[in-house]
Amino acid sequence: MSGTSVAALLVSHDGARWLPTVLEGLAAQTRPVDHAVAVDTASKDASADLLDQALTPTGGAVLRAPGTTHFPAAVELGLEHLRAAGEPVEWVWILHDDANPAPGALAALLAAAVDHPEADVLGPTLREWPSLRRLLEVGVTISGTGRRETGLERGEYDQGQHDAVRRVLAVNTAGMLVRRTVLEELGGFDDQLPIFGNDIDFGWRAAAAGHTTLVVPQAVVFHAEAAHRGIRRTPLTGRHTHYQERRAALYTLLVNTRARFLPFQWVRLLFGTLLRMIGFLLVRSVGEALDDLAALLSLYSSPREILAARRERQGRQVADPAEVRALLAPTWLPYRHGLDFVSDLAAAATNQAADVAERRRAAAIERDPSSLAARRPVADDDDESFEDTGVVARFLTSPIAVLLALFVVAALIGARDAFGSVVGGGLSPVPASAGAWWSLHLDTWHALGQGTAVPAPAYLLPLALLASLLGTSLTISALLVLAVPAGAWGAWRFLRVTGRLVSTRGASRWVLLWGATTYALVPVASGAWGDGRLGPVVTAVLLPWLAHAALGFADPSADRRWRAGWRTALLLALTTAFAPVAWLFGLSVGLVVVAAAFAIVPSAMRDRSTWGPPAAAVFTVPVLLAPWWLPSVIHGASEGLLLDIGRLPAPASDALDLLTGRLGDLGAPWWLGMIVLVAAVLALVPRATRIPVLVCWVVALVAGVLAAALGNVTVTLDATETTLGVGFLLVVLQGAFVTAATLGGQGLAAAVSGGSRARPLVAAVAVAAAVVPLGGIVWFGIGGHDELTDTEDADIPAYMVQSAVTGQEHGILVVRGSVADGLTYTVRRGDGVTLGEDEVLTLATADPAFTEVVRTLLSRPTTGVVDALAESGIEYVVLPAPADGAVLAALDATGGLQQASAEERTTRAWQVDRPLATDAVDGPRSWLRVGLLVLQAVAIVVVAVLCAPTARRRRR
């Protein structure tokens, strides 16, 4: 290396904070540089003076440039100085003013250059400054979406694990050693990349031109990344560092991608940017989302710049494209990052309320360091740590895990009737595709019956979203099959958090196991599952998460309380979609809680962040459900705002049914629910947990009062009579009882651990309590208690159904009953009445004119009535068995009705022999509902962004 000449080229801008150390590091090199040139771009601090003092006495040069000089131009100024001075420089060592080289950095780079004479560009390992150990980069490449890929784990420390000299696409310009001839041959760094991304672009161009870039881990440079981290702002970045970084990434891909892949890359980056913006919005990084959009528009609006840069590169591309492609990040890597982001976001969203207890404890310690909260809990047997011997070993040695697994398996066996297509009880058949649900949700007028403007039920939107991924049948099957396991998961998380709010130790896992499994069986034991009542089934899964989110109202941080409010609003809206009474219950509980808080701590209520989040949670729901709520009132279907979803009439429940968790005559033996009720009453005995147990009883009291009021009201609809919905309130009552019993068990366990003499009594209570989940899961597993089937019996001939699906004018008038007992009619269109359509038809008001036509048809039919049927879009008239003889005789003698065949001999049918009106059930479009749908979509996005966790910015 004796004939090797190296010039250090240092670029500085307002770097006085780091320059003294950097200059000391440069002077301390075991292999000193032969020449030193520094370019200062109009620093406002003492950077230029520091450079003069350090370099001028040793023969170095300090060049002063305007503040608008970007990094590529500054490097070019340094090269021009070396050329003008006639210095025979072979290597140029580029340094930043915030990059401090270790003493042996240059020597290691030059040694690698000797060992690898084919190398033209070499770079060091970059470690974080000032931590000095955390790795930043050991070579770098780029993914197909523009992400800067280092191949390192987050926060990875340098322990010698990356000690091999290897070829890479690029190395950072902080410490880059490059042959001067290669730097000049490639035209230096691209002026379109003023500060970020020029290293990757240069490395890509070098690889395409046949040059080799190596990373030398033995050479170490400590980098502060001042511009990237926002520690230092320059005229070139301003406040939008992310914009510059993203623009550089997009530019690098567009100008270096091979020509045949450019159209795909152009489209990919467009949609990829939109997905990134959604991700940033979900974590409330609105500025970064706008920066991404601005970067994309900046490049896509200037295609000439892209094309000019591509032409300039084409003349130097001599390397095998496959060789260059091997240096890029794997094609699958962006998708893995996407999955990681979704999983991280989901984990953060579900864990937001999990640490409320710890934050409250920390706040209590801050107020009073001598308080009980400052005392660390003593670990008990449940918290004992074991040696990590593998997943299987840990599972088999944990009784809790084994019992939970057995419970889930038993629940899946019990749910065997829900595998595949499901119908029966309160559950109507599902349509053939998710498109039917989307149409029903979005249409402002429905071609059902004789046409109606009654809005589709609110739960169709989440069902349509799921069905778009799973299909309609699998969506309903999954909701039923996974109801018990998902309920157990949510209940476990909620009960664990409430236990930690009561005491720092929390509840025993045995107590949690009882509470989670007992609650998970509520929709099964109540009979809602077996009767196909999606409302109680789905809300039983959602309720623990809703309550979990509401715990955030107790967070010491005002920002977290507001976030909890928006999160609760979203979950309450989803719950209300499946159980309309949930909003009324939420409003009632909110009023009770706010009133109690005002009475107990009047001063706290002066803070808007105390009462504001609960108010926002409750009153945001009508906005999120506006397309269903307001049109229901306008079109006379307001009863639907208080009815359970599904086929009507719903099963009626008396006071004993509600207390024992039963929907009428459905469900498991009543004494199982009585045990839970008794346990909730006995939970008031332990003094340590009496206050939280009383809170559970207050919630149960609110639910009970509402259930008593609604359960005694009968609603008369055109099609049926039914009581108002109490299914959700039953779930709340049982959830409150289970939570109270779990907290009581926690208090009882704490008393026993303190040396109580009541151990035999506690053991007896535990055995009695264990009967509930054991008896419930055995009853469910045996089966035979439900009304669910694979298909529903149809009394309509198949050829009529096939005709009905060809157009809305091919309706089928179905008449049931007898003259003596009364006749009823329904109109079937399309593929029949499916889930969602059943509620629309039930709540719709019958058309008086068409009802009169049917009455005349069945009493004194004439040809004029037949004409009216055709004008109403009726092609067939069907009287399912047993058909009334008097009606049969009258219809047989009516002109214009031709007898049609039926599968059953006792079922009679006729075809209307008239031209059918194609616009028979057409109706007006409601622009009001269109506007409400737009409002709903915007509100969902806004609330989702407001309730999502905030992302921490990290290197991309």
Side-chain angles (χ1 to χ4, degrees):
M1 293 187 294
S2 58
T4 301
S5 177
V6 181
L9 201 164
L10 192 154
V11 179
S12 172
H13 179 84
D14 290 341
R17 177 176 174 180
W18 306 279
L19 269 177
T21 305
V22 172
L23 292 172
E24 289 176 4
L26 180 61
Q29 292 300 301
T30 57
R31 196 293 190 187
V33 298
D34 301 293
H35 309 281
V37 178
V39 181
D40 184 81
T41 59
S43 295
K44 297 179 181 179
D45 58 12
S47 296
D49 295 336
L50 291 172
L51 292 171
D52 279 329
Q53 295 170 11
L55 300 182
T56 303
T58 59
V62 179
L63 309 180
R64 300 173 185 264
T68 55
T69 305
H70 48 62
F71 184 82
V75 172
E76 183 59 30
L77 284 175
L79 292 176
E80 289 179 359
H81 174 81
L82 292 175
R83 286 193 293 266
E87 304 289 358
V89 173
E90 180 181 356
W91 295 93
V92 177
W93 193 26
I94 301 174
L95 293 171
H96 298 181
D97 58 2
D98 61 344
N100 178 29
L106 181 57
L109 291 173
L110 291 173
V114 172
D115 294 338
H116 301 274
E118 76 282 3
D120 298 309
V121 184
L122 302 100
T125 290
L126 289 188
R127 291 189 198 166
E128 187 181 56
W129 188 15
S131 75
L132 305 184
R133 290 187 58 196
R134 187 174 290 116
L135 288 169
L136 293 177
E137 291 178 4
V138 188
V140 66
T141 185
I142 190 171
S143 71
T145 57
R147 183 186 176 107
R148 189 180 183 93
E149 297 291 349
T150 63
L152 301 173
E153 299 293 333
R154 299 178 190 173
E156 183 176 347
Y157 282 89
D158 190 356
Q159 299 174 329
Q161 67 272 40
H162 304 285
D163 59 352
V165 177
R166 58 188 175 87
R167 187 178 182 186
V168 293
L169 178 70
V171 292
N172 200 295
T173 53
M176 175 190 289
L177 183 69
V178 56
R179 295 186 189 273
R180 181 176 63 84
T181 55
V182 173
L183 188 58
E184 293 175 343
E185 171 195 332
L186 296 176
F189 299 102
D190 196 323
D191 291 339
Q192 291 293 326
L193 302 171
I195 190 166
F196 297 114
N198 39 55
D199 48 2
I200 295 180
D201 173 74
F202 180 79
W204 199 335
R205 287 189 286 131
H211 302 292
T212 300
T213 299
L214 299 180
V215 63
V216 184
Q218 293 74 23
V220 177
V221 171
F222 304 99
H223 195 195
E225 295 185 305
H228 167 74
R229 298 176 186 269
I231 302 174
R232 167 179 56 193
R233 289 178 181 169
T234 71
L236 298 174
T237 60
R239 298 177 180 271
H240 298 281
T241 301
H242 179 77
Y243 164 78
Q244 294 288 352
E245 291 180 328
R246 186 58 183 166
R247 186 184 186 280
L250 297 177
Y251 177 86
T252 300
L253 289 172
L254 291 173
V255 300
N256 291 293
T257 298
R258 295 184 62 191
R260 66 177 181 176
F261 297 126
L262 183 60
F264 169 75
Q265 189 67 274
W266 196 277
V267 175
R268 181 185 190 182
L269 293 179
L270 172 62
F271 288 100
T273 298
L274 296 178
L275 287 177
R276 283 172 56 91
M277 290 178 64
I278 293 174
F280 282 128
L281 290 174
L282 286 177
V283 295
R284 301 197 295 176
S285 297
V286 180
E288 293 187 346
L290 295 177
D291 283 344
D292 262 35
L293 179 61
L296 183 77
L297 295 178
S298 172
L299 291 174
Y300 279 31
S301 62
S302 305
R304 292 183 180 179
E305 295 181 4
I306 304 296
L307 295 176
R310 291 184 61 83
R311 285 193 297 268
E312 190 271 337
R313 285 160 170 74
Q314 285 176 355
R316 292 193 291 265
Q317 294 176 352
V318 298
D320 183 1
E323 183 179 347
V324 178
R325 193 183 314 117
L327 301 174
L328 298 173
T331 55
W332 50 262
L333 196 56
Y335 306 103
R336 194 196 76 176
H337 288 320
L339 291 176
D340 290 343
F341 171 80
V342 172
S343 62
D344 289 347
L345 181 63
T350 55
N351 289 330
Q352 284 187 91
D355 56 347
V356 172
E358 187 61 28
R359 288 196 296 271
R360 287 178 61 83
R361 177 178 173 275
I365 294 174
E366 185 177 353
R367 291 192 302 269
D368 182 10
S370 63
S371 65
L372 290 175
R375 303 180 188 177
R376 300 301 301 177
V378 179
D380 59 10
D381 293 339
D382 283 346
D383 298 323
E384 183 179 354
S385 59
F386 297 92
E387 181 182 357
D388 187 358
T389 55
V391 175
V392 175
R394 291 199 307 272
F395 171 77
L396 294 177
T397 56
S398 172
I400 301 293
V402 173
L403 288 175
L404 273 175
L406 292 175
F407 176 81
V408 170
V409 171
L412 295 177
I413 294 174
R416 56 191 177 273
D417 289 339
F419 286 92
S421 179
V422 187
V423 67
L427 183 63
S428 294
V430 297
S433 67
W437 275 341
W438 280 115
S439 298
L440 190 61
H441 171 68
L442 297 174
D443 288 346
T444 61
W445 179 269
H446 308 297
L448 302 173
Q450 290 311 109
T452 179
V454 171
Y459 63 82
L460 275 191
L461 177 58
L463 286 187
L465 289 170
L466 280 176
S468 298
L469 300 174
L470 305 178
T472 53
S473 294
L474 184 56
T475 294
I476 301 302
S477 178
L479 289 177
L480 293 172
V481 170
L482 300 179
V484 174
W489 178 37
W492 179 285
R493 289 177 57 85
F494 171 71
L495 294 173
R496 184 178 61 180
V497 174
T498 55
R500 291 176 180 174
L501 282 172
V502 173
S503 68
T504 54
R505 179 180 297 178
S508 165
R509 286 184 293 173
W510 288 103
V511 175
L512 292 178
L513 176 66
W514 179 87
T517 53
T518 300
Y519 174 81
L521 291 170
V522 166
V524 171
S526 67
W529 193 95
D531 198 43
R533 297 286 167 183
L534 285 183
V537 171
V538 175
T539 55
V541 176
L542 294 175
L543 184 60
W545 297 96
L546 175 60
H548 191 272
L551 290 178
F553 296 147
D555 199 289
S557 168
D559 178 69
R560 290 180 180 272
R561 289 198 296 272
W562 278 107
R563 200 182 307 166
W566 300 119
R567 189 167 62 249
T568 304
L570 201 59
L571 287 169
L572 181 57
L574 183 59
T575 304
T576 304
F578 285 92
V581 176
W583 183 81
L584 184 60
F585 170 76
L587 176 63
S588 303
V589 171
L591 291 175
V592 171
V593 171
V594 171
F598 186 81
I600 298 172
V601 191
S603 59
M605 298 308 295
R606 299 190 187 100
D607 184 1
R608 189 175 62 178
S609 67
T610 301
W611 56 265
V618 172
F619 293 106
T620 301
V621 174
V623 179
L624 293 173
L625 301 181
W628 165 66
W629 208 311
L630 187 58
S632 293
V633 175
I634 293 175
H635 298 291
S638 55
E639 298 90 348
L641 303 181
L642 294 175
L643 294 175
D644 281 340
I645 68 172
R647 289 172 173 170
L648 298 178
S653 301
D654 57 23
L656 181 61
D657 293 332
L658 292 173
L659 292 175
T660 56
R662 302 296 172 269
L663 285 176
D665 297 330
L666 306 174
W670 64 271
W671 50 266
L672 287 176
M674 186 60 70
I675 295 177
V676 177
L677 176 61
V678 172
V681 174
L682 294 178
L684 292 167
V685 175
R687 184 176 302 174
T689 55
R690 187 172 297 165
I691 292 179
V693 169
L694 283 173
V695 173
C696 295
W697 274 100
V698 170
V699 174
L701 179 62
V702 174
V705 171
L706 274 179
L710 298 177
N712 289 321
V713 177
T714 300
V715 177
T716 301
L717 304 172
D718 286 347
T720 186
E721 287 187 355
T722 185
T723 57
L724 297 181
V726 295
F728 171 75
L729 299 175
L730 182 147
V731 173
V732 173
L733 277 169
Q734 296 306 306
F737 292 158
V738 169
T739 304
T742 303
L743 292 173
Q746 179 179 344
L748 197 60
V752 171
S753 64
S756 173
R757 297 181 181 179
R759 291 180 182 270
L761 177 60
V762 172
V765 171
V767 171
V771 171
V772 179
L774 287 175
I777 197 64
V778 169
W779 178 86
F780 185 41
I782 293 174
H785 319 293
D786 57 72
E787 302 293 332
L788 303 179
T789 60
D790 294 334
T791 58
E792 192 168 44
D793 293 335
D795 45 18
I796 308 297
Y799 71 91
M800 295 186 186
V801 176
Q802 294 174 355
S803 176
V805 298
T806 61
Q808 61 187 22
E809 69 274 15
H810 298 277
I812 305 171
L813 176 64
V814 183
V815 181
R816 303 178 189 275
S818 64
V819 174
D821 299 327
L823 296 168
T824 61
Y825 76 90
T826 57
V827 176
R828 171 171 177 157
R829 300 188 188 275
D831 56 353
V833 179
T834 59
L835 182 63
E837 294 178 345
D838 50 1
E839 295 186 42
V840 174
L841 284 172
T842 301
L843 296 172
T845 303
D847 183 357
F850 183 74
T851 301
E852 183 60 30
V853 169
V854 176
R855 182 180 291 111
T856 305
L857 173 70
L858 301 178
S859 59
R860 49 184 185 280
T862 64
T863 56
V865 171
V866 176
D867 293 338
L869 289 177
E871 293 173 359
S872 300
I874 302 297
E875 184 179 16
Y876 292 99
V877 179
V878 177
L879 271 68
D884 188 281
V887 176
L888 292 179
L891 294 181
D892 282 337
T894 302
L897 290 180
Q898 295 182 350
Q899 291 193 21
S901 62
E903 296 176 359
E904 294 187 17
R905 299 183 61 182
T906 54
T907 295
R908 297 295 301 276
W910 297 263
Q911 183 175 15
V912 176
D913 187 19
R914 296 286 191 276
L916 303 176
T918 58
D919 58 350
V921 291
D922 288 347
R925 170 173 292 181
S926 171
W927 291 106
L928 171 63
R929 190 162 188 277
V930 171
L932 293 176
L933 287 169
V934 174
L935 173 64
Q936 181 187 49
V938 173
I940 290 174
V941 173
V942 171
V943 174
V945 170
L946 290 174
C947 72
T950 303
R952 292 183 178 179
R953 195 175 188 278
R954 62 178 183 270
R955 188 176 184 88
R956 293 168 186 81

